[in-house]
Amino acid sequence: MHDSGDWSRLVSAMLLRLCLFIILLAVAGCGSSVTQDSSAELREVRRFTLEETDSLFLGHFRTITVTRSPYRIYVPDRIGDQIGVFDSLGQIVRFFGSFGEGPGELDRPTKVVVHGSTVYVSENSRFSVLDTSGTFRRIMHLPEGIYKNDYWSLNYYKDQLVIPAVDVSQRRGGSLRMTPEQNSIAIMDTSFREVTMVGQFPKFYQEGEYVNRWMSVSISSEGVAATSYSLLNIVDLYALERPGHPPIGTIQMEHPAWKPTRVEMPANMPIPELNRLLTETSRALSVFIVRDKFVVLYFINAAPDYQDRVGDDRASEHFATLTSMGGEQLATLTLPGPIMGHDDDGMLYIRLSSIPDEREFGVYELVVNE
Protein backbone atom coordinates (compact mmCIF):
# COMPACT_ATOMS: atom_id res chain seq x y z
CA MET A 1 0.00 0.00 0.00
CA HIS A 2 1.06 3.58 -0.59
CA ASP A 3 1.29 6.03 2.28
CA SER A 4 -0.10 9.55 1.97
CA GLY A 5 3.28 10.91 0.86
CA ASP A 6 3.45 8.38 -2.01
CA TRP A 7 -0.07 9.27 -3.16
CA SER A 8 0.74 12.97 -2.99
CA ARG A 9 3.84 12.50 -5.15
CA LEU A 10 1.91 10.29 -7.61
CA VAL A 11 -0.89 12.82 -7.99
CA SER A 12 1.63 15.64 -8.44
CA ALA A 13 3.46 13.67 -11.16
CA MET A 14 0.20 12.92 -12.98
CA LEU A 15 -0.80 16.60 -12.85
CA LEU A 16 2.63 17.62 -14.16
CA ARG A 17 2.37 15.18 -17.08
CA LEU A 18 -1.12 16.48 -17.87
CA CYS A 19 0.12 20.09 -17.90
CA LEU A 20 3.04 19.16 -20.16
CA PHE A 21 0.66 17.36 -22.52
CA ILE A 22 -1.61 20.40 -22.74
CA ILE A 23 1.38 22.68 -23.36
CA LEU A 24 2.66 20.39 -26.13
CA LEU A 25 -0.75 20.41 -27.80
CA ALA A 26 -0.83 24.18 -27.68
CA VAL A 27 2.69 24.48 -29.10
CA ALA A 28 1.90 22.00 -31.87
CA GLY A 29 -1.03 24.15 -32.92
CA CYS A 30 0.87 27.45 -32.94
CA GLY A 31 1.38 29.04 -36.35
CA SER A 32 -0.96 26.72 -38.21
CA SER A 33 -4.42 27.43 -36.91
CA VAL A 34 -6.93 30.26 -37.04
CA THR A 35 -8.46 31.29 -33.73
CA GLN A 36 -11.60 33.34 -33.28
CA ASP A 37 -13.93 34.54 -30.56
CA SER A 38 -17.31 33.62 -32.06
CA SER A 39 -19.16 30.97 -34.04
CA ALA A 40 -17.74 32.38 -37.30
CA GLU A 41 -14.42 30.89 -38.34
CA LEU A 42 -11.93 30.32 -41.13
CA ARG A 43 -11.76 26.58 -41.74
CA GLU A 44 -8.70 25.16 -43.49
CA VAL A 45 -9.63 23.28 -46.67
CA ARG A 46 -6.22 22.31 -48.03
CA ARG A 47 -2.57 23.30 -48.35
CA PHE A 48 -0.08 23.63 -51.19
CA THR A 49 3.52 24.73 -51.63
CA LEU A 50 4.71 26.87 -54.55
CA GLU A 51 7.25 25.02 -56.68
CA GLU A 52 10.61 26.74 -57.21
CA THR A 53 13.67 25.61 -59.17
CA ASP A 54 17.26 26.84 -59.51
CA SER A 55 16.26 28.95 -62.51
CA LEU A 56 12.62 29.75 -61.70
CA PHE A 57 12.27 31.16 -58.19
CA LEU A 58 10.47 33.99 -56.42
CA GLY A 59 11.80 37.01 -54.56
CA HIS A 60 9.25 38.98 -52.53
CA PHE A 61 5.49 39.28 -53.00
CA ARG A 62 2.57 40.46 -50.89
CA THR A 63 -0.40 39.47 -53.04
CA ILE A 64 -1.56 36.59 -55.20
CA THR A 65 -4.43 36.38 -57.69
CA VAL A 66 -6.41 33.15 -58.11
CA THR A 67 -8.52 32.39 -61.19
CA ARG A 68 -10.75 29.46 -62.15
CA SER A 69 -11.23 27.63 -65.48
CA PRO A 70 -8.35 27.02 -65.66
CA TYR A 71 -7.23 27.22 -62.04
CA ARG A 72 -4.20 29.50 -61.93
CA ILE A 73 -2.30 31.31 -59.19
CA TYR A 74 -0.55 34.51 -60.34
CA VAL A 75 2.28 35.76 -58.14
CA PRO A 76 3.73 39.25 -58.83
CA ASP A 77 7.37 39.18 -57.72
CA ARG A 78 8.43 42.71 -56.75
CA ILE A 79 12.08 41.77 -56.34
CA GLY A 80 12.46 39.52 -59.40
CA ASP A 81 10.38 41.82 -61.68
CA GLN A 82 8.40 38.85 -62.95
CA ILE A 83 5.06 37.07 -62.71
CA GLY A 84 5.01 33.46 -61.60
CA VAL A 85 2.02 31.37 -62.71
CA PHE A 86 1.17 28.15 -60.84
CA ASP A 87 -1.56 25.50 -60.97
CA SER A 88 -3.83 24.44 -58.10
CA LEU A 89 -1.11 22.17 -56.68
CA GLY A 90 1.47 24.96 -56.71
CA GLN A 91 3.34 23.51 -59.68
CA ILE A 92 4.97 25.95 -62.13
CA VAL A 93 2.98 26.71 -65.28
CA ARG A 94 5.21 29.54 -66.50
CA PHE A 95 7.16 32.62 -65.50
CA PHE A 96 7.17 35.79 -67.57
CA GLY A 97 8.69 39.26 -67.32
CA SER A 98 12.12 40.67 -66.55
CA PHE A 99 13.50 43.88 -65.09
CA GLY A 100 13.16 47.02 -67.18
CA GLU A 101 10.83 49.72 -68.39
CA GLY A 102 10.43 48.59 -71.97
CA PRO A 103 7.62 46.57 -73.60
CA GLY A 104 7.24 43.22 -71.89
CA GLU A 105 9.60 44.18 -69.08
CA LEU A 106 8.27 44.80 -65.58
CA ASP A 107 9.11 47.47 -63.01
CA ARG A 108 8.45 46.04 -59.53
CA PRO A 109 5.05 44.37 -60.15
CA THR A 110 2.82 44.23 -57.09
CA LYS A 111 -0.71 43.20 -58.12
CA VAL A 112 -2.30 41.22 -60.96
CA VAL A 113 -5.88 41.23 -62.24
CA VAL A 114 -6.98 38.68 -64.84
CA HIS A 115 -10.04 39.08 -67.05
CA GLY A 116 -10.52 36.39 -69.66
CA SER A 117 -7.21 36.13 -71.51
CA THR A 118 -6.04 39.61 -70.44
CA VAL A 119 -3.64 40.20 -67.56
CA TYR A 120 -3.37 43.67 -65.98
CA VAL A 121 -0.27 44.29 -63.86
CA SER A 122 0.12 47.15 -61.38
CA GLU A 123 3.77 48.22 -61.26
CA ASN A 124 5.84 50.91 -59.58
CA SER A 125 4.54 53.88 -61.59
CA ARG A 126 2.59 52.35 -64.47
CA PHE A 127 0.44 49.42 -65.60
CA SER A 128 1.28 46.70 -68.12
CA VAL A 129 -1.25 44.71 -70.13
CA LEU A 130 -0.35 41.20 -71.31
CA ASP A 131 -2.17 38.03 -72.21
CA THR A 132 -2.15 34.90 -70.06
CA SER A 133 0.81 33.48 -72.01
CA GLY A 134 2.87 36.52 -71.02
CA THR A 135 2.77 38.18 -74.45
CA PHE A 136 3.04 41.95 -74.10
CA ARG A 137 0.21 44.18 -75.35
CA ARG A 138 0.70 47.71 -74.03
CA ILE A 139 1.79 50.01 -71.21
CA MET A 140 -0.60 52.47 -69.55
CA HIS A 141 -0.19 55.41 -67.16
CA LEU A 142 -2.55 57.36 -64.96
CA PRO A 143 -3.28 60.93 -66.11
CA GLU A 144 -0.86 63.62 -64.97
CA GLY A 145 -1.40 64.65 -61.36
CA ILE A 146 -3.16 61.41 -60.32
CA TYR A 147 -1.10 58.91 -58.36
CA LYS A 148 -1.73 55.46 -56.98
CA ASN A 149 -2.33 55.53 -53.25
CA ASP A 150 -1.47 51.88 -52.85
CA TYR A 151 0.82 49.48 -54.72
CA TRP A 152 -1.04 46.29 -53.85
CA SER A 153 -4.65 47.05 -54.80
CA LEU A 154 -6.08 46.67 -58.31
CA ASN A 155 -9.62 45.59 -59.21
CA TYR A 156 -11.54 44.82 -62.39
CA TYR A 157 -15.25 45.60 -62.52
CA LYS A 158 -17.44 45.71 -65.67
CA ASP A 159 -14.72 46.70 -68.15
CA GLN A 160 -13.21 49.13 -65.67
CA LEU A 161 -10.14 49.12 -63.46
CA VAL A 162 -10.51 50.45 -59.92
CA ILE A 163 -7.59 51.51 -57.71
CA PRO A 164 -6.92 53.71 -54.67
CA ALA A 165 -5.59 57.03 -56.04
CA VAL A 166 -5.19 60.69 -55.17
CA ASP A 167 -5.26 63.88 -57.26
CA VAL A 168 -2.30 65.88 -55.94
CA SER A 169 -3.53 69.10 -57.60
CA GLN A 170 -5.95 69.39 -54.67
CA ARG A 171 -3.16 69.23 -52.09
CA ARG A 172 -2.65 72.04 -49.57
CA GLY A 173 0.85 73.17 -50.56
CA GLY A 174 3.35 70.58 -49.40
CA SER A 175 1.14 69.27 -46.59
CA LEU A 176 0.22 65.60 -46.37
CA ARG A 177 -3.20 66.52 -45.01
CA MET A 178 -5.94 65.50 -47.38
CA THR A 179 -8.53 68.03 -48.48
CA PRO A 180 -12.29 67.40 -48.63
CA GLU A 181 -11.98 67.77 -52.42
CA GLN A 182 -9.42 65.02 -52.78
CA ASN A 183 -10.97 61.73 -53.86
CA SER A 184 -9.66 58.34 -52.83
CA ILE A 185 -10.64 56.03 -55.72
CA ALA A 186 -9.89 56.15 -59.45
CA ILE A 187 -12.21 54.33 -61.86
CA MET A 188 -10.80 53.93 -65.40
CA ASP A 189 -11.74 52.27 -68.63
CA THR A 190 -9.21 49.66 -69.73
CA SER A 191 -7.55 52.12 -72.13
CA PHE A 192 -7.10 54.68 -69.31
CA ARG A 193 -8.70 57.33 -71.54
CA GLU A 194 -11.55 57.99 -69.12
CA VAL A 195 -10.80 58.38 -65.43
CA THR A 196 -13.44 59.17 -62.80
CA MET A 197 -12.37 60.12 -59.28
CA VAL A 198 -14.77 59.19 -56.46
CA GLY A 199 -14.75 58.61 -52.71
CA GLN A 200 -13.30 60.71 -49.93
CA PHE A 201 -10.59 60.30 -47.31
CA PRO A 202 -11.81 60.10 -43.69
CA LYS A 203 -11.49 63.22 -41.53
CA PHE A 204 -8.59 61.48 -39.75
CA TYR A 205 -6.42 62.16 -42.82
CA GLN A 206 -7.84 65.66 -43.29
CA GLU A 207 -7.08 66.72 -39.72
CA GLY A 208 -3.52 65.38 -39.46
CA GLU A 209 -0.39 64.60 -41.48
CA TYR A 210 0.32 60.89 -41.98
CA VAL A 211 3.00 59.70 -44.37
CA ASN A 212 1.49 56.20 -44.15
CA ARG A 213 -1.95 56.40 -45.76
CA TRP A 214 -2.03 53.35 -48.02
CA MET A 215 -5.45 52.05 -48.99
CA SER A 216 -7.05 48.85 -50.22
CA VAL A 217 -10.18 48.35 -52.32
CA SER A 218 -12.35 45.27 -52.84
CA ILE A 219 -15.47 45.11 -55.03
CA SER A 220 -18.48 42.81 -54.79
CA SER A 221 -20.17 41.34 -57.85
CA GLU A 222 -23.07 43.73 -57.16
CA GLY A 223 -20.85 46.81 -57.42
CA VAL A 224 -20.22 47.65 -53.76
CA ALA A 225 -16.69 48.96 -53.24
CA ALA A 226 -15.13 48.49 -49.79
CA THR A 227 -12.18 50.73 -48.96
CA SER A 228 -9.79 50.42 -46.04
CA TYR A 229 -7.06 52.76 -44.79
CA SER A 230 -3.74 51.65 -43.34
CA LEU A 231 -3.99 53.53 -40.03
CA LEU A 232 -7.72 53.08 -39.38
CA ASN A 233 -9.93 50.14 -38.38
CA ILE A 234 -12.86 51.28 -40.52
CA VAL A 235 -14.16 50.28 -43.94
CA ASP A 236 -16.06 52.74 -46.15
CA LEU A 237 -18.62 51.39 -48.63
CA TYR A 238 -19.52 52.97 -52.00
CA ALA A 239 -22.20 52.06 -54.54
CA LEU A 240 -20.50 51.88 -57.94
CA GLU A 241 -23.80 51.11 -59.69
CA ARG A 242 -25.47 54.34 -58.56
CA PRO A 243 -25.00 57.73 -60.25
CA GLY A 244 -22.07 59.53 -58.70
CA HIS A 245 -20.92 56.38 -56.86
CA PRO A 246 -22.19 57.65 -53.47
CA PRO A 247 -21.05 56.43 -50.03
CA ILE A 248 -23.50 53.96 -48.50
CA GLY A 249 -21.99 53.40 -45.07
CA THR A 250 -18.96 52.99 -42.83
CA ILE A 251 -18.19 49.81 -40.89
CA GLN A 252 -16.31 50.08 -37.59
CA MET A 253 -14.15 46.96 -37.36
CA GLU A 254 -13.50 46.10 -33.71
CA HIS A 255 -10.62 43.86 -32.58
CA PRO A 256 -8.91 43.66 -29.15
CA ALA A 257 -5.46 43.54 -30.82
CA TRP A 258 -5.96 46.80 -32.75
CA LYS A 259 -3.50 49.54 -31.67
CA PRO A 260 -4.71 52.99 -32.78
CA THR A 261 -2.50 55.79 -34.10
CA ARG A 262 -1.97 58.40 -31.37
CA VAL A 263 0.32 60.98 -33.00
CA GLU A 264 0.80 62.48 -36.46
CA MET A 265 3.44 61.12 -38.85
CA PRO A 266 4.57 64.04 -41.04
CA ALA A 267 6.88 63.61 -44.03
CA ASN A 268 9.79 65.32 -42.24
CA MET A 269 9.70 62.90 -39.30
CA PRO A 270 13.08 61.14 -38.86
CA ILE A 271 12.96 57.62 -40.27
CA PRO A 272 13.95 55.89 -36.98
CA GLU A 273 11.14 57.72 -35.16
CA LEU A 274 8.64 56.86 -37.90
CA ASN A 275 9.63 53.20 -37.85
CA ARG A 276 9.26 53.14 -34.06
CA LEU A 277 5.76 54.62 -34.28
CA LEU A 278 4.77 52.10 -36.95
CA THR A 279 5.71 49.23 -34.65
CA GLU A 280 3.48 50.73 -31.96
CA THR A 281 0.53 51.11 -34.36
CA SER A 282 -1.64 48.55 -36.13
CA ARG A 283 -1.68 48.70 -39.92
CA ALA A 284 -4.60 47.56 -42.05
CA LEU A 285 -3.11 45.97 -45.17
CA SER A 286 -6.10 44.62 -47.09
CA VAL A 287 -9.87 44.46 -47.20
CA PHE A 288 -11.80 41.62 -48.85
CA ILE A 289 -15.48 41.25 -49.72
CA VAL A 290 -16.22 37.53 -49.48
CA ARG A 291 -19.20 35.90 -51.19
CA ASP A 292 -20.84 39.37 -51.52
CA LYS A 293 -21.96 39.01 -47.89
CA PHE A 294 -18.99 39.51 -45.60
CA VAL A 295 -16.16 42.01 -45.10
CA VAL A 296 -12.73 40.89 -43.87
CA LEU A 297 -10.23 43.54 -42.73
CA TYR A 298 -6.70 42.12 -42.43
CA PHE A 299 -4.16 43.98 -40.28
CA ILE A 300 -0.77 43.46 -38.66
CA ASN A 301 1.08 44.42 -35.50
CA ALA A 302 4.76 44.67 -36.39
CA ALA A 303 7.65 43.54 -34.22
CA PRO A 304 10.26 46.13 -33.13
CA ASP A 305 12.75 44.79 -35.71
CA TYR A 306 10.17 44.62 -38.50
CA GLN A 307 12.14 46.94 -40.81
CA ASP A 308 15.15 44.61 -40.64
CA ARG A 309 13.04 41.56 -41.54
CA VAL A 310 11.12 42.67 -44.64
CA GLY A 311 9.58 39.62 -46.27
CA ASP A 312 9.58 37.58 -43.06
CA ASP A 313 5.95 36.93 -42.11
CA ARG A 314 7.06 36.11 -38.57
CA ALA A 315 8.11 39.75 -38.10
CA SER A 316 4.42 40.59 -37.60
CA GLU A 317 1.38 39.27 -35.81
CA HIS A 318 -1.53 38.79 -38.19
CA PHE A 319 -5.17 39.50 -37.37
CA ALA A 320 -8.51 40.04 -39.09
CA THR A 321 -11.96 41.29 -38.26
CA LEU A 322 -15.07 39.80 -39.88
CA THR A 323 -18.37 41.63 -40.27
CA SER A 324 -21.46 41.35 -42.40
CA MET A 325 -21.93 43.84 -45.24
CA GLY A 326 -24.42 45.56 -42.94
CA GLY A 327 -21.75 46.06 -40.28
CA GLU A 328 -22.69 43.29 -37.84
CA GLN A 329 -19.59 42.11 -35.99
CA LEU A 330 -19.17 38.36 -36.54
CA ALA A 331 -15.64 37.41 -35.44
CA THR A 332 -12.20 38.62 -34.47
CA LEU A 333 -9.50 36.36 -35.87
CA THR A 334 -5.88 35.59 -35.05
CA LEU A 335 -4.20 34.33 -38.22
CA PRO A 336 -1.22 32.01 -38.84
CA GLY A 337 0.11 34.33 -41.57
CA PRO A 338 -0.83 37.08 -44.04
CA ILE A 339 -3.95 36.91 -46.19
CA MET A 340 -2.53 37.10 -49.71
CA GLY A 341 -5.73 36.94 -51.76
CA HIS A 342 -9.09 35.30 -52.30
CA ASP A 343 -11.00 33.60 -55.12
CA ASP A 344 -14.51 33.71 -56.57
CA ASP A 345 -15.58 30.80 -54.36
CA GLY A 346 -14.93 32.89 -51.25
CA MET A 347 -11.75 31.05 -50.24
CA LEU A 348 -9.01 33.05 -48.51
CA TYR A 349 -5.37 32.22 -49.21
CA ILE A 350 -3.05 32.58 -46.21
CA ARG A 351 0.71 32.20 -46.52
CA LEU A 352 1.93 29.82 -43.82
CA SER A 353 5.63 30.03 -44.72
CA SER A 354 7.60 32.75 -46.51
CA ILE A 355 10.82 30.70 -46.62
CA PRO A 356 12.11 30.21 -50.22
CA ASP A 357 11.49 26.67 -51.51
CA GLU A 358 9.01 26.20 -48.64
CA ARG A 359 6.37 28.83 -49.46
CA GLU A 360 3.34 27.03 -48.11
CA PHE A 361 -0.23 28.33 -48.39
CA GLY A 362 -3.39 27.36 -46.59
CA VAL A 363 -6.74 27.70 -48.35
CA TYR A 364 -9.46 28.69 -45.87
CA GLU A 365 -13.23 28.67 -46.13
CA LEU A 366 -15.20 31.30 -44.28
CA VAL A 367 -17.83 29.53 -42.17
CA VAL A 368 -20.53 31.62 -40.51
CA ASN A 369 -23.37 30.05 -38.54
CA GLU A 370 -26.33 32.14 -39.71
Side-chain angles (χ1 to χ4, degrees), residues 285-317:
L285 297 187
S286 304
V287 63
F288 303 94
I289 296 179
V290 180
R291 300 205 304 269
D292 289 338
K293 298 170 63 176
F294 309 109
V295 179
V296 177
L297 180 67
Y298 159 55
F299 70 94
I300 64 169
N301 288 338
D305 61 346
Y306 172 83
Q307 296 297 330
D308 298 324
R309 300 165 62 188
V310 174
D312 181 359
D313 295 340
R314 296 167 298 180
S316 300
E317 294 178 295

Side-chain angles (χ1 to χ4, degrees), residues 144-164:
E144 185 176 355
I146 298 177
Y147 292 89
K148 291 188 293 183
N149 204 42
D150 186 82
Y151 291 120
W152 298 275
S153 188
L154 177 66
N155 298 270
Y156 185 95
Y157 179 71
K158 289 192 174 180
D159 296 324
Q160 296 177 315
L161 295 171
V162 183
I163 63 167

